[in-house]
């Protein structure tokens, strides 16, 4: 090992240090691992100081902001020297396909274990011909430079690598992990949770947890909210996530005429409290890798209405697949939410049991750490 005796020196390359699925996952993994076995390093090519900067520092990770330079040779060379001089045992990029270049540089710098990790099941960019061409090149580099290619669900591997990935031992699915007791065991009453968040104690609350991003399909949520509050005047929508407390978000609420029927909480440190305050969870994403928010809602024993896309079908219990809807379906979503409000606890216990086993925190985090561990670092498949 290149780090201290008995430690594995790991570099994570993240999209940013702002709150997001990949960033939150790595932070949880570092906290779960504790100290001693790993020497953690986290690099953000986004030079903005992220929301999670202090949390990563508090976790014991060494934080670095450095542009990798996808089209800049000087920056690529600087990144190569950083990796070479860092003497990392493992480099893991959570930038999906676009981790191909960083993995190729890591291979050239002599990093033994090079992990590409998908967190989205479909591309996150507008498909211009230039971007498609670069994505194809990056995918080629990813497949030829990785010693392991991981994903939190099958959908991403199927989409990016074709169905034959199951015959390549470099590929593996490691589901997300969540602490079921933190959500199902939240001790506040619904009324107490609502009071703590400044929400109305009476009436129905329909909630969504997710950053302001096209993938989360907020426009459909707004259209559903506008129709639902006409059908059920006691209903109110609650939004939680980065950007939901911004001026731009409020302008959208005003545009759809629902600003008086919605509460936007922004980022919240106590997500179990947010879920506890709700009656129904609505999650109509157009693309997902493996959505933590939906997993957490199921573990909070919330009835949910969600979109019928591959990433969500892997998270929703199979016996509820027939209830999933097209992402932009407005009228069916309104009817489904009204039905859930009338039958609030229908199927929630069975869904909780299914999800708590599949997304067991200790088991799935242990699998992730094993992928980074010293035993795996000695094997080079390239």
């Amino acid at each position: 090992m290149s780090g201290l005796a008995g430690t594995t020196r790991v570099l994570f390359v993240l999209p940013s240090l702002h709150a997001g699925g990949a960033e939150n996952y790595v932070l949880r993994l570092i906290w779960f691992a504790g100290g001693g076995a790993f020497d953690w390093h986290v690099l953000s090519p986004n030079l903005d100081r992220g929301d999670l900067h202090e949390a990563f520092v508090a976790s014991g990770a060494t934080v670095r902001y450095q542009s990798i330079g996808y089209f800049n040779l000087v920056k690529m060379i600087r990144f190569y020297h950083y990796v070479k001089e860092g003497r990392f045992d493992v480099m893991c990029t959570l930038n999906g396909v676009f981790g191909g270049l960083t993995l190729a540089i890591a291979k050239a710098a002599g990093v033994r274990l090079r992990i590409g990790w998908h967190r989205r099941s479909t591309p996150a960019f507008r498909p211009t011909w230039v971007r498609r061409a670069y994505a194809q090149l990056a995918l080629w580099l990813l497949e030829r430079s990785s010693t392991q290619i991981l994903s939190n669900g099958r959908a991403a591997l199927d989409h990016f690598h074709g169905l034959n990935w199951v015959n390549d031992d470099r590929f593996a699915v490691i589901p997300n992990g969540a602490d079921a007791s933190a959500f199902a065991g939240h001790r506040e009453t619904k009324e107490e949770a609502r009071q703590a968040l400044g929400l109305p104690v009476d009436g129905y609350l329909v909630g969504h947890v997710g950053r302001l991003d096209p993938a989360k399909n907020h426009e459909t949520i707004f259209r559903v909210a506008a129709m639902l509050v006409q059908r059920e005047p006691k209903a109110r929508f609650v939004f939680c996530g980065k950007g939901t407390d911004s001026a731009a978000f409020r302008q959208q609420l005003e545009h759809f005429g629902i600003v008086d029927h919605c509460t936007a909480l922004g980022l919240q440190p106590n997500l179990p409290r947010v879920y506890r305050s709700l009656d129904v969870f609505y999650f109509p994403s157009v693309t997902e890798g493996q959505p933590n928010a939906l997993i957490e809602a199921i573990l909070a024993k919330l009835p949910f209405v969600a979109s019928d896309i591959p990433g969500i079908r892997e998270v929703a219990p199979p016996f509820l697949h027939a209830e999933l809807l097209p992402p932009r379906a407005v009228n069916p979503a309104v009817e489904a939410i009204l039905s859930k409000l009338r039958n609030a606890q229908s199927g929630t216990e069975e869904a909780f049991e299914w999800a708590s086993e599949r997304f067991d925190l200790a088991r799935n985090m242990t699998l992730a750490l094993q992928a980074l561990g010293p035993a795996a670092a000695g094997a080079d498949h390239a």
Side-chain angles (χ1 to χ4, degrees), residues 87-250:
R87 298 177 61 81
F88 297 107
D89 302 300
V90 184
M91 192 181 86
C92 178
T93 171
L94 285 88
N95 289 291
V97 167
F98 291 106
L101 175 63
T102 55
L103 291 166
I105 292 173
K107 183 176 181 179
V111 178
R112 294 282 290 168
L113 185 60
R114 304 176 300 277
I115 302 173
W117 204 322
H118 292 284
R119 306 296 298 180
R120 286 178 179 261
S121 60
T122 56
F125 58 88
R126 292 181 180 178
T128 65
W129 73 267
V130 174
R131 288 170 176 165
R132 283 177 173 170
Y134 182 79
Q136 286 299 312
L137 173 61
L139 178 62
W140 184 84
L141 289 171
L142 177 74
E143 292 184 336
R144 282 153 183 80
S145 303
S146 301
T147 57
Q148 287 185 284
I149 300 175
L150 305 177
S151 177
N152 51 8
R154 293 179 58 96
L157 300 182
D158 289 346
H159 179 86
F160 291 111
H161 302 280
L163 301 181
N164 287 332
W165 65 265
V166 295
N167 299 316
D168 187 333
D169 63 3
R170 290 183 304 154
F171 290 84
V173 173
I174 300 178
N176 289 345
D179 182 2
S181 64
F183 297 95
H186 190 68
R187 294 175 180 268
E188 288 178 313
T189 65
K190 182 173 292 188
E191 291 74 17
E192 289 170 340
R194 290 181 176 185
Q195 288 175 342
L197 292 167
L199 299 171
V201 174
D202 298 325
Y204 301 117
L205 296 187
V206 180
H208 178 269
V209 175
R211 68 191 181 281
L212 182 56
D213 184 281
K216 302 301 180 183
N217 195 17
H218 280 93
E219 183 172 336
T220 296
I221 304 177
F222 299 150
R223 294 183 187 280
V224 168
M227 185 175 292
L228 182 72
V229 296
Q230 291 182 356
R231 296 278 303 278
E232 177 47 77
K234 294 182 180 179
R236 187 176 185 85
F237 270 70
V238 177
F239 296 93
C240 175
K242 183 176 175 61
T244 60
D245 55 351
S246 66
F249 193 85
R250 182 178 176 84

Side-chain angles (χ1 to χ4, degrees), residues 19-348:
E23 295 83 358
N24 287 326
Y25 179 82
V26 169
L27 184 59
R28 290 174 187 148
L29 183 64
I30 292 173
W31 280 114
F32 179 84
F38 295 92
D39 178 14
W40 303 108
H41 295 254
V42 178
L43 182 143
S44 167
N46 183 329
L47 304 184
D48 293 337
R49 183 185 175 94
D51 309 314
L52 300 178
H53 177 95
E54 294 299 336
F56 273 108
V57 171
S59 75
T62 300
V63 174
R64 183 181 181 91
Y65 295 89
Q66 179 175 335
S67 176
I68 294 170
Y70 296 105
F71 296 101
N72 187 311
L73 182 59
V74 173
K75 291 180 179 179
M76 291 182 201
I77 293 172
R78 287 175 182 166
F79 180 67
Y80 166 82
H81 285 296
Y82 163 68
V83 175
K84 184 77 172 176
E85 294 164 7
R87 298 177 61 81
F88 297 107
D89 302 300
V90 184
M91 192 181 86
C92 178
T93 171
L94 285 88
N95 289 291
V97 167
F98 291 106
L101 175 63
T102 55
L103 291 166
I105 292 173
K107 183 176 181 179
V111 178
R112 294 282 290 168
L113 185 60
R114 304 176 300 277
I115 302 173
W117 204 322
H118 292 284
R119 306 296 298 180
R120 286 178 179 261
S121 60
T122 56
F125 58 88
R126 292 181 180 178
T128 65
W129 73 267
V130 174
R131 288 170 176 165
R132 283 177 173 170
Y134 182 79
Q136 286 299 312
L137 173 61
L139 178 62
W140 184 84
L141 289 171
L142 177 74
E143 292 184 336
R144 282 153 183 80
S145 303
S146 301
T147 57
Q148 287 185 284
I149 300 175
L150 305 177
S151 177
N152 51 8
R154 293 179 58 96
L157 300 182
D158 289 346
H159 179 86
F160 291 111
H161 302 280
L163 301 181
N164 287 332
W165 65 265
V166 295
N167 299 316
D168 187 333
D169 63 3
R170 290 183 304 154
F171 290 84
V173 173
I174 300 178
N176 289 345
D179 182 2
S181 64
F183 297 95
H186 190 68
R187 294 175 180 268
E188 288 178 313
T189 65
K190 182 173 292 188
E191 291 74 17
E192 289 170 340
R194 290 181 176 185
Q195 288 175 342
L197 292 167
L199 299 171
V201 174
D202 298 325
Y204 301 117
L205 296 187
V206 180
H208 178 269
V209 175
R211 68 191 181 281
L212 182 56
D213 184 281
K216 302 301 180 183
N217 195 17
H218 280 93
E219 183 172 336
T220 296
I221 304 177
F222 299 150
R223 294 183 187 280
V224 168
M227 185 175 292
L228 182 72
V229 296
Q230 291 182 356
R231 296 278 303 278
E232 177 47 77
K234 294 182 180 179
R236 187 176 185 85
F237 270 70
V238 177
F239 296 93
C240 175
K242 183 176 175 61
T244 60
D245 55 351
S246 66
F249 193 85
R250 182 178 176 84
Q251 288 175 357
Q252 287 295 301
L253 298 180
E254 292 173 346
H255 173 76
F256 285 94
I258 55 174
V259 68
D260 294 331
H261 303 280
C262 299
T263 300
L265 298 173
L267 286 171
Q268 288 291 315
N270 190 337
L271 284 174
R273 170 178 285 164
V274 174
Y275 294 115
R276 186 73 179 98
S277 72
L278 303 176
D279 294 298
V280 172
F281 189 71
Y282 180 41
F283 200 73
S285 294
V286 294
T287 181
E288 287 286 352
Q290 191 172 85
N292 279 314
L294 183 54
I295 295 170
E296 292 165 353
I298 295 172
L299 293 177
K301 300 184 181 180
L302 269 176
F304 67 90
V305 175
S307 51
D308 191 4
I309 59 174
I312 287 179
R313 289 182 74 86
E314 289 190 60
V315 167
F319 64 86
L320 293 178
H321 284 183
E323 297 184 7
L324 300 177
L325 302 172
R328 293 187 172 88
V330 175
N331 289 342
V334 172
E335 295 299 334
I337 292 170
L338 288 170
S339 176
K340 296 290 184 180
L341 290 174
R342 298 186 194 105
N343 304 283
Q345 298 307 311
S346 177
T348 57

